[in-house]
Short mmCIF file of all heavy atoms in Angstrom, two decimals:
data_model
loop_
_atom_site.label_atom_id
_atom_site.label_comp_id
_atom_site.label_asym_id
_atom_site.label_seq_id
_atom_site.Cartn_x
_atom_site.Cartn_y
_atom_site.Cartn_z
N GLY A 518 13.53 -5.04 -1.53
CA GLY A 518 14.30 -5.98 -0.71
C GLY A 518 14.96 -5.28 0.44
O GLY A 518 15.33 -5.92 1.47
N SER A 519 15.16 -3.97 0.37
CA SER A 519 15.80 -3.19 1.41
C SER A 519 14.82 -2.95 2.59
O SER A 519 15.22 -2.45 3.63
CB SER A 519 16.37 -1.87 0.92
OG SER A 519 17.41 -2.09 -0.03
N SER A 520 13.56 -3.14 2.33
CA SER A 520 12.54 -2.86 3.44
C SER A 520 12.93 -3.66 4.68
O SER A 520 13.12 -4.87 4.63
CB SER A 520 11.17 -3.28 2.97
OG SER A 520 10.68 -2.45 1.95
N GLY A 521 12.93 -2.96 5.80
CA GLY A 521 13.28 -3.60 7.07
C GLY A 521 14.76 -3.42 7.41
O GLY A 521 15.20 -3.89 8.47
N SER A 522 15.54 -2.70 6.60
CA SER A 522 17.00 -2.54 6.87
C SER A 522 17.16 -1.63 8.06
O SER A 522 16.29 -0.79 8.36
CB SER A 522 17.67 -1.84 5.65
OG SER A 522 17.64 -2.70 4.52
N CYS A 523 18.20 -1.88 8.79
CA CYS A 523 18.61 -0.99 9.90
C CYS A 523 19.23 0.29 9.37
O CYS A 523 20.06 0.19 8.42
CB CYS A 523 19.49 -1.70 10.87
SG CYS A 523 20.95 -2.44 10.10
N VAL A 524 19.00 1.38 9.99
CA VAL A 524 19.63 2.69 9.74
C VAL A 524 20.61 2.93 10.90
O VAL A 524 20.15 3.10 11.98
CB VAL A 524 18.69 3.79 9.57
CG1 VAL A 524 19.33 5.11 9.25
CG2 VAL A 524 17.65 3.44 8.45
N VAL A 525 21.93 2.93 10.58
CA VAL A 525 22.92 2.91 11.66
C VAL A 525 23.88 4.13 11.56
O VAL A 525 24.18 4.57 10.47
CB VAL A 525 23.78 1.56 11.50
CG1 VAL A 525 24.80 1.45 12.51
CG2 VAL A 525 22.85 0.41 11.44
N THR A 526 24.25 4.65 12.73
CA THR A 526 25.15 5.76 12.71
C THR A 526 26.58 5.40 12.38
O THR A 526 27.06 4.35 12.86
CB THR A 526 25.15 6.48 14.14
OG1 THR A 526 25.60 5.48 15.12
CG2 THR A 526 23.78 7.01 14.52
N VAL A 527 27.24 6.20 11.62
CA VAL A 527 28.69 5.96 11.30
C VAL A 527 29.48 6.21 12.54
O VAL A 527 30.47 5.42 12.83
CB VAL A 527 29.11 6.94 10.18
CG1 VAL A 527 30.62 6.91 10.04
CG2 VAL A 527 28.50 6.45 8.87
N GLY A 528 29.18 7.17 13.41
CA GLY A 528 29.94 7.42 14.55
C GLY A 528 29.88 6.44 15.64
O GLY A 528 30.86 6.11 16.33
N GLY A 529 28.75 5.82 15.92
CA GLY A 529 28.58 4.88 17.01
C GLY A 529 28.22 3.50 16.63
O GLY A 529 28.15 2.62 17.43
N HIS A 530 27.92 3.23 15.34
CA HIS A 530 27.49 1.97 14.79
C HIS A 530 26.36 1.42 15.63
O HIS A 530 26.34 0.24 16.05
CB HIS A 530 28.69 0.99 14.83
CG HIS A 530 29.77 1.48 13.90
ND1 HIS A 530 29.81 1.19 12.55
CD2 HIS A 530 30.90 2.14 14.17
CE1 HIS A 530 30.86 1.74 12.04
NE2 HIS A 530 31.57 2.32 12.93
N ALA A 531 25.36 2.25 15.91
CA ALA A 531 24.15 1.87 16.53
C ALA A 531 22.95 2.24 15.75
O ALA A 531 22.92 3.29 15.06
CB ALA A 531 24.05 2.55 17.92
N ALA A 532 21.87 1.48 15.82
CA ALA A 532 20.71 1.69 14.93
C ALA A 532 19.88 2.82 15.54
O ALA A 532 19.60 2.96 16.69
CB ALA A 532 19.89 0.46 14.85
N ILE A 533 19.52 3.75 14.68
CA ILE A 533 18.64 4.91 15.01
C ILE A 533 17.30 4.81 14.21
O ILE A 533 16.42 5.64 14.57
CB ILE A 533 19.34 6.25 14.63
CG1 ILE A 533 19.65 6.34 13.22
CG2 ILE A 533 20.53 6.44 15.60
CD1 ILE A 533 20.12 7.78 12.74
N GLY A 534 17.18 3.94 13.31
CA GLY A 534 15.98 3.86 12.53
C GLY A 534 15.79 2.53 11.81
O GLY A 534 16.65 1.68 11.72
N LEU A 535 14.55 2.39 11.22
CA LEU A 535 14.18 1.25 10.43
C LEU A 535 13.76 1.74 9.04
O LEU A 535 12.76 2.42 8.94
CB LEU A 535 12.97 0.55 11.18
CG LEU A 535 12.36 -0.60 10.41
CD1 LEU A 535 13.27 -1.77 10.31
CD2 LEU A 535 11.02 -0.99 11.18
N HIS A 536 14.45 1.40 8.02
CA HIS A 536 14.18 1.82 6.66
C HIS A 536 12.80 1.30 6.19
O HIS A 536 12.48 0.13 6.42
CB HIS A 536 15.23 1.35 5.71
CG HIS A 536 14.93 1.66 4.26
ND1 HIS A 536 14.96 2.93 3.74
CD2 HIS A 536 14.49 0.80 3.25
CE1 HIS A 536 14.63 2.87 2.44
NE2 HIS A 536 14.34 1.70 2.14
N MET A 537 11.98 2.21 5.59
CA MET A 537 10.66 1.76 5.16
C MET A 537 10.48 1.82 3.68
O MET A 537 9.81 0.96 3.13
CB MET A 537 9.61 2.77 5.84
CG MET A 537 9.62 2.76 7.35
SD MET A 537 8.31 3.75 8.04
CE MET A 537 8.65 5.40 7.46
N GLY A 538 10.98 2.82 3.01
CA GLY A 538 10.73 2.84 1.57
C GLY A 538 11.12 4.17 0.91
O GLY A 538 11.61 5.10 1.55
N GLY A 539 10.98 4.25 -0.40
CA GLY A 539 11.24 5.40 -1.14
C GLY A 539 10.10 6.20 -1.51
O GLY A 539 8.89 5.67 -1.54
N VAL A 540 10.25 7.41 -1.88
CA VAL A 540 9.12 8.29 -2.28
C VAL A 540 9.42 8.94 -3.66
O VAL A 540 10.54 9.25 -4.00
CB VAL A 540 8.84 9.38 -1.26
CG1 VAL A 540 8.30 8.78 0.04
CG2 VAL A 540 10.12 10.28 -0.99
N GLU A 541 8.32 9.13 -4.44
CA GLU A 541 8.41 9.71 -5.69
C GLU A 541 9.47 9.01 -6.61
O GLU A 541 10.33 9.61 -7.22
CB GLU A 541 8.71 11.18 -5.68
CG GLU A 541 7.60 11.96 -4.95
CD GLU A 541 7.82 13.48 -4.81
OE1 GLU A 541 8.90 13.92 -5.30
OE2 GLU A 541 7.06 14.19 -4.17
N VAL A 542 9.35 7.67 -6.66
CA VAL A 542 10.37 6.85 -7.30
C VAL A 542 9.94 6.65 -8.79
O VAL A 542 8.75 6.24 -9.06
CB VAL A 542 10.47 5.45 -6.59
CG1 VAL A 542 11.59 4.63 -7.29
CG2 VAL A 542 10.74 5.66 -5.14
N ASP A 543 10.87 6.87 -9.65
CA ASP A 543 10.65 6.55 -11.09
C ASP A 543 10.75 5.09 -11.28
O ASP A 543 11.84 4.46 -11.00
CB ASP A 543 11.66 7.26 -11.97
CG ASP A 543 11.51 7.01 -13.44
OD1 ASP A 543 10.57 7.51 -14.08
OD2 ASP A 543 12.32 6.16 -13.97
N ALA A 544 9.74 4.44 -11.73
CA ALA A 544 9.68 2.99 -11.81
C ALA A 544 10.77 2.39 -12.74
O ALA A 544 11.29 1.30 -12.54
CB ALA A 544 8.32 2.49 -12.26
N ALA A 545 11.07 3.16 -13.79
CA ALA A 545 12.01 2.68 -14.82
C ALA A 545 13.48 2.74 -14.30
O ALA A 545 14.23 1.80 -14.47
CB ALA A 545 11.87 3.45 -16.09
N SER A 546 13.82 3.81 -13.67
CA SER A 546 15.20 4.02 -13.27
C SER A 546 15.57 3.69 -11.88
O SER A 546 16.68 3.31 -11.54
CB SER A 546 15.60 5.55 -13.47
OG SER A 546 14.95 6.30 -12.53
N GLY A 547 14.52 3.72 -10.94
CA GLY A 547 14.81 3.55 -9.59
C GLY A 547 15.20 4.80 -8.85
O GLY A 547 15.47 4.73 -7.62
N LYS A 548 15.32 5.88 -9.58
CA LYS A 548 15.69 7.21 -8.94
C LYS A 548 14.47 7.78 -8.20
O LYS A 548 13.35 7.81 -8.72
CB LYS A 548 16.17 8.12 -10.03
CG LYS A 548 16.90 9.39 -9.53
CD LYS A 548 18.33 9.03 -9.17
CE LYS A 548 19.18 10.38 -9.00
NZ LYS A 548 18.67 11.31 -8.01
N GLY A 549 14.77 8.35 -7.05
CA GLY A 549 13.68 8.96 -6.21
C GLY A 549 14.13 10.23 -5.59
O GLY A 549 15.34 10.67 -5.71
N THR A 550 13.22 10.86 -4.87
CA THR A 550 13.54 12.16 -4.23
C THR A 550 13.97 11.91 -2.71
O THR A 550 14.52 12.84 -2.17
CB THR A 550 12.37 13.13 -4.25
OG1 THR A 550 11.23 12.52 -3.62
CG2 THR A 550 11.96 13.42 -5.67
N ALA A 551 13.59 10.86 -2.15
CA ALA A 551 13.92 10.61 -0.73
C ALA A 551 13.72 9.15 -0.38
O ALA A 551 12.97 8.40 -1.02
CB ALA A 551 12.98 11.47 0.11
N ASN A 552 14.37 8.74 0.69
CA ASN A 552 14.13 7.46 1.37
C ASN A 552 13.67 7.77 2.80
O ASN A 552 14.12 8.78 3.41
CB ASN A 552 15.37 6.60 1.43
CG ASN A 552 15.50 5.77 0.19
OD1 ASN A 552 14.53 5.15 -0.25
ND2 ASN A 552 16.74 5.68 -0.38
N LEU A 553 12.70 7.02 3.32
CA LEU A 553 12.15 7.29 4.60
C LEU A 553 12.45 6.07 5.56
O LEU A 553 12.46 4.95 5.17
CB LEU A 553 10.64 7.47 4.52
CG LEU A 553 10.13 8.56 3.66
CD1 LEU A 553 8.66 8.71 3.78
CD2 LEU A 553 10.75 9.95 3.97
N ALA A 554 12.58 6.42 6.82
CA ALA A 554 12.86 5.47 7.90
C ALA A 554 12.11 5.83 9.15
O ALA A 554 11.95 7.02 9.41
CB ALA A 554 14.34 5.28 8.19
N LEU A 555 11.71 4.87 9.97
CA LEU A 555 11.15 5.16 11.24
C LEU A 555 12.27 5.55 12.16
O LEU A 555 13.29 4.92 12.28
CB LEU A 555 10.53 3.81 11.78
CG LEU A 555 9.83 3.91 13.06
CD1 LEU A 555 8.57 4.68 13.02
CD2 LEU A 555 9.46 2.45 13.56
N ALA A 556 12.09 6.77 12.81
CA ALA A 556 13.06 7.32 13.70
C ALA A 556 12.82 6.86 15.11
O ALA A 556 11.81 7.30 15.68
CB ALA A 556 13.10 8.82 13.56
N PHE A 557 13.67 6.03 15.71
CA PHE A 557 13.39 5.48 17.03
C PHE A 557 13.26 6.57 18.12
O PHE A 557 12.42 6.44 19.00
CB PHE A 557 14.48 4.50 17.42
CG PHE A 557 14.54 3.30 16.45
CD1 PHE A 557 15.76 2.65 16.36
CD2 PHE A 557 13.45 2.91 15.78
CE1 PHE A 557 15.88 1.50 15.53
CE2 PHE A 557 13.57 1.80 14.91
CZ PHE A 557 14.77 1.09 14.78
N SER A 558 14.06 7.59 18.03
CA SER A 558 14.07 8.59 19.06
C SER A 558 12.80 9.46 19.07
O SER A 558 12.63 10.26 20.08
CB SER A 558 15.28 9.51 18.96
OG SER A 558 15.25 10.24 17.72
N ARG A 559 11.92 9.32 18.12
CA ARG A 559 10.75 10.10 17.95
C ARG A 559 9.48 9.25 18.13
O ARG A 559 8.38 9.72 17.73
CB ARG A 559 10.78 10.89 16.64
CG ARG A 559 11.96 11.73 16.48
CD ARG A 559 11.98 12.49 15.15
NE ARG A 559 10.85 13.38 15.01
CZ ARG A 559 10.78 14.66 15.44
NH1 ARG A 559 11.89 15.10 16.09
NH2 ARG A 559 9.77 15.43 15.36
N LEU A 560 9.58 8.04 18.59
CA LEU A 560 8.44 7.16 18.77
C LEU A 560 7.46 7.59 19.88
O LEU A 560 6.38 7.27 19.86
CB LEU A 560 8.87 5.70 19.02
CG LEU A 560 9.33 4.95 17.77
CD1 LEU A 560 10.00 3.67 18.19
CD2 LEU A 560 8.12 4.69 16.88
N GLY A 561 8.03 8.40 20.85
CA GLY A 561 7.16 9.08 21.81
C GLY A 561 6.23 8.20 22.66
O GLY A 561 5.11 8.47 22.80
N GLY A 562 6.74 7.07 23.17
CA GLY A 562 5.91 6.20 24.01
C GLY A 562 5.10 5.22 23.27
O GLY A 562 4.33 4.42 23.89
N HIS A 563 5.24 5.08 21.92
CA HIS A 563 4.54 4.09 21.23
C HIS A 563 5.08 2.65 21.66
O HIS A 563 6.13 2.54 22.18
CB HIS A 563 4.84 4.24 19.74
CG HIS A 563 3.98 3.39 18.79
ND1 HIS A 563 4.27 2.06 18.59
CD2 HIS A 563 2.85 3.63 18.09
CE1 HIS A 563 3.34 1.53 17.79
NE2 HIS A 563 2.51 2.47 17.42
N ARG A 564 4.17 1.68 21.61
CA ARG A 564 4.54 0.35 22.06
C ARG A 564 5.83 -0.15 21.31
O ARG A 564 6.68 -0.87 21.96
CB ARG A 564 3.42 -0.62 21.83
CG ARG A 564 3.73 -1.99 22.50
CD ARG A 564 2.68 -3.02 22.24
NE ARG A 564 3.16 -4.35 22.74
CZ ARG A 564 2.60 -5.48 22.43
NH1 ARG A 564 1.55 -5.48 21.70
NH2 ARG A 564 3.03 -6.60 22.96
#
Side-chain angles (χ1 to χ4, degrees):
S519 297
S520 290
S522 298
C523 52
V524 180
V525 182
T526 59
V527 167
H530 297 277
I533 59 170
L535 173 68
H536 174 71
M537 300 188 297
V540 293
E541 298 180 2
V542 184
D543 178 77
S546 68
K548 191 82 165 58
T550 60
N552 274 315
L553 302 184
L555 183 67
F557 298 154
S558 64
R559 301 180 66 85
L560 280 169
H563 191 280
R564 188 184 173 194

